[in-house]
Amino acid sequence: MNEACGVVGVAFPTSGAALSIYHSLYSLQHRGQESAGISIAHEGNTRSIKGMGIVPWVFKGNDLLAVPGSVGIGHVRYSTAGGSELENAQPLTINFSGGTIAIAHNGNLVNSEELRLDLEQRGHIFLSDSDTEVIAHLLVKDLMRNNLVEAMRRLMRRIVGSYSFVMLLNDILVAVRDPLGFKPLCLGKIESEGEQGYVVASESVAIDVHDGEFVRDIAPGEVLVITRDRMESHQIYKQKNTAHCVFEYVYFARPDSVIDGRLVYDVRLKIGERLASEHPVDADMISPVPDSGITSAIGYSKKSGTEYIEALMKNRYVGRTFIMPSDTVRKRAVQLKLNAIKQNIKDRRVVLVDDSVVRGNTSRRIVDRVREAGAAEVHVRIGSPPIVSPCYLGIDMPTREELIASQKSVSEIEAAIRAETLGYLSIDGLVESIGIPANDLCLGCLTGVYPVEIPGEKCVLRQLRLEEFDCGDSGEVSSF
Ligand code: SF4
């Protein structure tokens, strides 16, 4: 599984946006490594730098110092909708009669195909296959006839799915979170060269990197409009329930981020403790599958009283994508990424704690690796319930046929990955560890029931039908 993207927007009164965005993107690198980009507004122009690869490959630090401008946005991308090409790298910029808009989007629209078709039939020409371009075209159309807030209201009435995006409209920074709040987005205050500014980002670590002050999460359905000297909040749509993605807590977000009021580290610790209560086992050591299993393994160890000892060491310098044409090469890829520490493992009964099982192949190779290194027994504990359905809301996941838990029972998976025992966290265990009611979480890939309408899938319709949307907008304003 891979996260789709990380976004950041920064606004200062006179200068300093580019370098601040660059540093924030570094802290969001885990959310996407395929491409990165920055757009900066300055004296009526919007300048963008984009490229393929991770942040330090795309930007040369010194070049960035030379990009003037006080307002800008940035993006790191892992592709879901749209392929992995430079034309799909973001921010996406469009010039129109009212100036320039640049958008950096995290999420996935479930109705982008039909919206695109409709726009194409009306003569719109698309340069990429990303759903972000659909958002941009719809917005430009509405901006020709309406003020910014009304245009946003109209846009949000039409698009369905997960979206947290930041946008530049000339030199105005706009931040938007979808009405169900699938993807995280938060607001902070930062300082650069003696100036106070605002930062909006996918995760709070992008505020911490500046020693900034976390202000709050952006509310589902809220639009923030930030200019050089003031910020307006418009609660455009308000739902009874939200649908925060549970995998942000399990896997995607950094443990040092605070998302919707919960420190991800605390949630993972509780997941590990709960897993130990639900699936205890006599063992000699608890080891994480690094990195995302680390905090849950600590929780499991704490609760079970069994020692935390690392069985596997991750090589952090191995890139995430390379073509693996044969099983031997795939096996070598796991060996390159994870080395077993034989001295820690030999003759011991090992509990491996991981965040999820997707296809099952990687889990099997890891279990084999630990056994080959001399383990007496290998028990696997998973910090999430079985993934039985695909994600349509911005996470890159295999099809239902490829998801092992969609095809096999837990005991069949246990046999397939060649573990002595296998235990998954229950859905109740996950919900209670997160500490947000189940009605306010998206559990679509765990239950097969989604919070928005997806053709061919079951749905609990938490998002009002589009024509039912309405909300009194308080238009709250605050100054820098
Ligand atoms: S379907 Fe699963 S991965 Fe996708 S948003 Fe919902 S909880 Fe997250």
Side-chain angles (χ1 to χ4, degrees):
M1 282 196 298
N2 287 288
E3 174 55 86
C5 300
V7 300
V8 59
V10 162
F12 285 108
T14 63
S15 66
L19 204 59
S20 301
I21 293 168
Y22 173 67
H23 290 143
S24 288
L25 287 182
Y26 250 110
S27 66
L28 298 174
Q29 186 74 83
H30 60 289
R31 298 184 73 87
Q33 300 97 41
E34 284 190 4
S35 66
I38 288 178
S39 292
I40 303 290
H42 183 59
E43 294 181 345
N45 292 312
T46 300
R47 185 176 163 196
S48 297
I49 308 172
K50 294 191 277 186
M52 301 304 290
I54 57 173
V55 172
W57 299 353
V58 175
F59 310 107
K60 308 278 179 285
N62 291 342
D63 289 356
L64 275 165
L65 285 172
V67 178
S70 63
V71 184
I73 59 173
H75 191 261
V76 285
R77 177 168 194 265
Y78 178 86
S79 59
T80 47
S84 176
E85 289 101 26
L86 186 56
E87 75 236 27
N88 285 324
Q90 295 188 19
L92 178 136
T93 48
I94 289 192
N95 295 317
F96 70 115
S97 59
T100 304
I101 62 170
I103 301 183
H105 170 215
N106 175 29
N108 197 49
L109 303 186
V110 296
N111 64 340
S112 75
E113 284 302 309
E114 76 189 63
L115 292 171
R116 175 188 289 259
L117 204 64
D118 181 54
L119 287 163
E120 280 174 344
Q121 281 164 356
R122 289 163 195 265
H124 289 250
I125 294 165
F126 287 85
L127 301 174
S128 75
D129 51 2
S130 83
D131 52 357
T132 312
E133 202 177 351
V134 173
I135 294 176
H137 278 256
L138 286 170
L139 192 58
V140 164
K141 207 156 73 68
D142 285 331
L143 280 169
M144 310 280 253
R145 290 184 222 107
N146 303 285
N147 66 33
L148 173 60
V149 175
E150 185 52 30
M152 290 308 307
R153 188 188 310 276
R154 284 167 179 264
L155 172 73
M156 291 169 79
R157 190 185 279 266
R158 296 201 67 188
I159 58 179
V160 179
S162 67
Y163 54 91
S164 278
F165 66 83
V166 289
M167 181 182 88
L168 285 180
L169 170 60
N170 301 320
D171 61 354
I172 300 170
L173 171 64
V174 182
V176 187
R177 196 172 179 199
D178 69 67
L180 291 176
F182 282 99
K183 301 285 164 185
L185 197 62
C186 61
L187 172 72
K189 279 184 184 167
I190 55 172
E191 207 182 294
S192 169
E193 318 237 332
E195 280 193 345
Q196 292 280 337
Y198 280 112
V199 57
V200 180
S202 296
E203 289 183 38
S204 60
V205 286
I207 303 168
D208 296 343
V209 75
H210 302 287
D211 266 337
E213 177 196 339
F214 175 86
V215 176
R216 62 180 174 88
D217 291 294
I218 291 174
E222 181 180 6
V223 172
L224 282 184
V225 180
I226 306 174
T227 61
R228 285 170 205 283
D229 57 1
R230 68 184 210 149
M231 181 178 74
E232 290 173 20
S233 159
H234 299 268
Q235 187 64 54
I236 302 274
Y237 295 112
K238 197 164 189 169
Q239 304 296 124
K240 191 162 152 272
N241 290 105
T242 56
H244 304 312
C245 169
V246 291
F247 272 95
E248 290 289 344
Y249 295 99
V250 170
Y251 174 59
F252 300 127
R254 272 177 44 169
D256 46 342
S257 281
V258 176
I259 294 183
D260 290 306
R262 274 88 186 151
L263 177 66
V264 175
Y265 185 94
D266 287 347
V267 172
R268 289 191 190 157
L269 207 60
K270 283 188 189 140
I271 284 175
E273 289 171 356
R274 179 73 181 237
L275 202 47
S277 307
E278 291 185 4
H279 299 285
V281 60
D282 273 340
D284 302 309
M285 59 184 277
I286 311 296
S287 169
V289 175
D291 283 327
S292 47
I294 291 175
T295 318
S296 299
I298 294 170
Y300 195 109
S301 162
K302 216 170 121 205
K303 183 76 181 177
S304 64
T306 308
E307 204 177 355
Y308 174 95
I309 300 173
E310 284 165 283
L312 298 158
M313 203 44 64
K314 184 172 177 179
N315 180 348
R316 292 187 173 78
Y317 305 97
V318 176
R320 59 163 289 275
T321 45
F322 52 96
I323 296 165
M324 295 176 284
S326 71
D327 208 49
T328 321
V329 181
R330 276 186 223 114
K331 191 173 168 197
R332 182 73 65 231
V334 173
Q335 285 170 334
L336 278 172
K337 237 176 190 169
L338 290 175
N339 190 33
I341 309 171
K342 293 192 182 86
Q343 295 83 343
N344 286 1
I345 295 170
K346 194 157 172 23
D347 299 329
R348 287 190 152 138
R349 295 168 298 167
V350 180
V351 177
L352 287 177
V353 181
D354 205 351
D355 51 73
S356 54
V357 180
V358 182
R359 291 182 177 86
N361 301 346
T362 304
S363 304
R364 195 193 68 236
R365 287 191 194 100
I366 291 170
V367 171
D368 286 351
R369 189 108 185 86
V370 172
R371 203 183 298 284
E372 283 159 17
E377 293 172 11
V378 185
H379 303 269
V380 175
R381 296 294 177 267
I382 303 298
S384 65
I387 300 171
V388 295
S389 297
C391 176
Y392 300 91
L393 296 152
I395 302 305
D396 180 45
M397 234 188 235
T399 60
R400 197 172 252 113
E401 291 66 41
E402 294 169 304
L403 288 167
I404 192 166
S406 167
Q407 309 296 326
K408 292 183 192 296
S409 66
V410 173
S411 57
E412 287 170 334
I413 300 169
E414 185 180 274
I417 66 170
R418 300 199 270 258
E420 256 76 27
T421 64
L422 167 67
Y424 283 94
L425 186 67
S426 65
I427 290 186
D428 284 353
L430 176 61
V431 169
E432 282 162 31
S433 301
I434 294 172
I436 293 175
N439 280 348
D440 291 321
L441 295 170
C442 176
L443 298 162
C445 54
L446 307 176
T447 58
V449 182
Y450 297 84
V452 291
E453 254 176 313
I454 293 162
E457 299 285 0
K458 289 187 206 136
C459 147
V460 277
L461 202 61
R462 287 205 210 134
Q463 180 157 326
L464 293 174
R465 290 186 189 281
L466 295 175
E467 59 278 10
E468 295 167 340
F469 270 137
D470 198 14
C471 178
D473 169 15
S474 59
E476 191 186 302
V477 177
S478 58
S479 304
F480 267 34

